Amino acid sequence: MDGARHPHRQPKRQLDSTILHFVSTDCFYASVFENETPALRSLPLAVQQKQIVVTCNYEARRRGLHKLQLIKDAKKTCPDVVIVLGEDLTRFRNASKELFNLLRSFSWNSRCERLGFDEVFMDVSDIVEHNLGLLNAHDLANSYFCLSKNDPTVGFTFDASELAGHTYPQPPNKELDASQDSLSLRLRLASHLARYLREQLESEKGYTCAVGISTNKLLAKLVGNLHKPNDQTTLLPPYSSEEDLDNVTSFMDGHEVGKIPGIGFKIANKLRAHVLQRPAEFDTALVYGGTKEDLLVADARRHPGMGPDMLEQLLSGPGTPHGIGPKIWGLLNGCDDAEVGQAREVPKQISIEDSYLRLDTLGEVIRELRMLAKSLLARLHTDLLDNDEETPAPDDVVPGPTTVPRRWLAYPKTIRLSTRPRPPDGSRNRSFARISRSAPMPNFVFSLKENKDTVSERLVTETLVPLFHKLHPEKSGWNLSLMNVAATNMADAASEKGGVGRDIGKMFKRQDDVLKQWRVEDTDVMEVEEKMEEVKAVLPAIPNGDKGGSEDLPTLSQEAKHSVNDQWESEDEDMADGDLFCCDQCGASMPSFAMVAHSRWHAQS
Ligand code: DGT
Ligand code: MG
């Protein structure tokens, strides 16, 4: 290797794991509606949130529609488009859970992680390793893939002499395809597992998706994008070489730096400015805030002096994590040591919010709090109650036609109210500062005997209104653009002392005692959260009319949500600070993908 040209060798690539990434269910929101109403499949279908097409089906895409288009433009392009309202995320959340649960049911190590609503990573190293041991090298064509650790008869037959689906590079190099080294065989096995799981998702749930197969999350996610929709791609070995002739390097080299998960908007811009020696020119006409000044990974990687140290110098600063240089250098080289997270039974927090054009009287606030409380309670019931109604009654319960009471899988110990006040000057500039107050979650919230409406009314009068007065002690003079009610500080019922989650009867007897222990101090601190906002926060706020609060909308799954601080976050978690883009006209900051809609808003107003 030429030391001057390549001052830094490739970082060592970890090749022990086999990762599947179920990239982005195809047209996810639209597919949910199509599954509910199959007649929609053959029609051009668009899903509307606020004034935007958040997604559309492939029939609509064939007719020229695309994601994140204004509704009025979509109607112009395709007058017979069928538009369905997607503001209420409940159906998407439920579908997402069903898909995830199906995939998780195939996992042996529970390393199965959701990203957003429609992406799932699975670390299938153990299943693949087990099946590698079962292969008969002399008769690969008649192989059997075992899906159960305990029952060797559960599985499917397959031809292990061939790889399933597409490959990178394509067309497959026959010699490589026939190779029998461990990595090639593991990836080939994983490709058959991926095909089987895709078939299961389609036959059991009616959803198609694209899958990427490789050795880490970064590569699996990126390679799965190559053949969409309804297909799969495996990144073929070799994965390392002295002269950068391996497939990982050539695959990564062809990407624009901003498209690499983990390289956020700001970092991509710094790289572009450094390598191209001039600031990037933005073209806001491009969706996702694209730039004309594309910088390929290859050019960044080969730039004189480029390496972990120079990246550390270039990128480190206040707010960046330590070791950012080696981290980004790793990503440019296709290295990512992030593990696939363990599947969680329950979300870390549940929050409901809504945005307002004008909210400035106590009467309106109470009306909105009622709707938010109702939605929050419904979500707590859906997400935190065991839905296994069939659970047999414990012995000490009188037998009879009674149904077994549902049980809480987890208890949020804290309730938090956040608001986003408008600047007092009444300007249209949007402030992204939220203020919040927390209090202990009252015990009555967990009562299953009381009527839900009574519980939510109590929550409003006894908890939320007092919290609101603490946040806004003045009787009037405020004007809010957003309110958010969150159940946080989740305590897992099953892991509580005494294993309350295991024994329903005992748990209910103990419920009050258990809950008593969870008195938390009101932190009584005014937190200012500068959270990354999602699209709806930067779109023209629309009066909400008489509807329940909408929940936090997920961000784009592909681009905007990956920055160094915000890697592989799942949608149930707090949105981490992301890379924000600043509007020249009004100074509002927002994720890059929202810029197009935002500038249209300026143009219209
Ligand atoms: P695909 O993967 O290209 O076939 O299409 P989708 O619709 O699955 O798009 P994807 O995977 O980027 O996002 C999954 C869902 O998330 C999508 O159906 C609608 C929603 N979504 C995507 N981008 C945005 C956004 O910018 N704002 C909002 N509110 N929702 C979004
Ligand atoms: Mg998708």
Side-chain angles (χ1 to χ4, degrees), residues 23-28 67 118-119 228 557-558:
V23 177
S24 200
T25 313
D26 304 323
C27 320
F28 180 54
K67 294 191 269 187
D118 75 337
E119 295 182 50
K228 289 174 81 174
S557 55
Q558 304 297 318

Side-chain angles (χ1 to χ4, degrees), residues 70-128:
L70 281 177
I71 288 286
K72 71 175 169 47
D73 293 345
K75 282 183 178 161
K76 245 185 251 160
T77 311
C78 178
D80 52 344
V81 60
V82 177
I83 294 176
V84 286
L85 277 183
E87 289 275 346
D88 178 2
L89 303 184
T90 314
R91 50 158 63 79
F92 309 131
R93 174 171 287 106
N94 291 344
S96 166
K97 268 188 209 152
E98 270 189 47
L99 299 182
F100 177 70
N101 286 339
L102 182 78
L103 291 174
R104 192 174 65 170
S105 71
F106 288 95
S107 175
W108 293 2
N109 56 14
S110 289
R111 292 211 170 276
C112 198
E113 180 187 344
R114 208 151 60 115
L115 177 67
F117 274 171
D118 75 337
E119 295 182 50
V120 174
F121 291 99
M122 272 177 96
D123 181 334
V124 295
S125 314
D126 53 348
I127 307 182
V128 163

Side-chain angles (χ1 to χ4, degrees), residues 66 70 105 115 218 255 313 429 446 460:
H66 55 82
L70 281 177
S105 71
L115 177 67
L218 170 72
H255 284 84
Q313 254 179 357
N429 283 5
F446 303 108
V460 172

Side-chain angles (χ1 to χ4, degrees), residues 257 271 275 295-304 306-307 329 332:
V257 290
L271 286 173
V275 175
L295 171 65
L296 291 179
V297 168
D299 297 324
R301 215 172 45 77
R302 296 198 197 113
H303 191 69
M306 188 57 81
W329 180 244
L332 293 174

Side-chain angles (χ1 to χ4, degrees), residues 173 346 545 560:
N173 175 333
V346 287

Side-chain angles (χ1 to χ4, degrees), residues 23-31 47 49 52-58 61 67-68 86 89 92 116-119 208 225 228-229 288 534-536 539 553-560 593-594:
V23 177
S24 200
T25 313
D26 304 323
C27 320
F28 180 54
Y29 287 6
S31 308
V47 182
Q49 277 176 359
I52 296 280
V53 171
V54 279
T55 195
C56 51
N57 67 2
Y58 276 89
R61 292 184 197 193
K67 294 191 269 187
L68 303 188
L89 303 184
F92 309 131
F117 274 171
D118 75 337
E119 295 182 50
T208 61
N225 285 327
K228 289 174 81 174
Y288 304 151
E534 72 281 12
V535 156
K536 69 174 184 171
L539 293 175
L553 301 182
T555 51
L556 266 185
S557 55
Q558 304 297 318
E559 277 82 12
F593 62 80

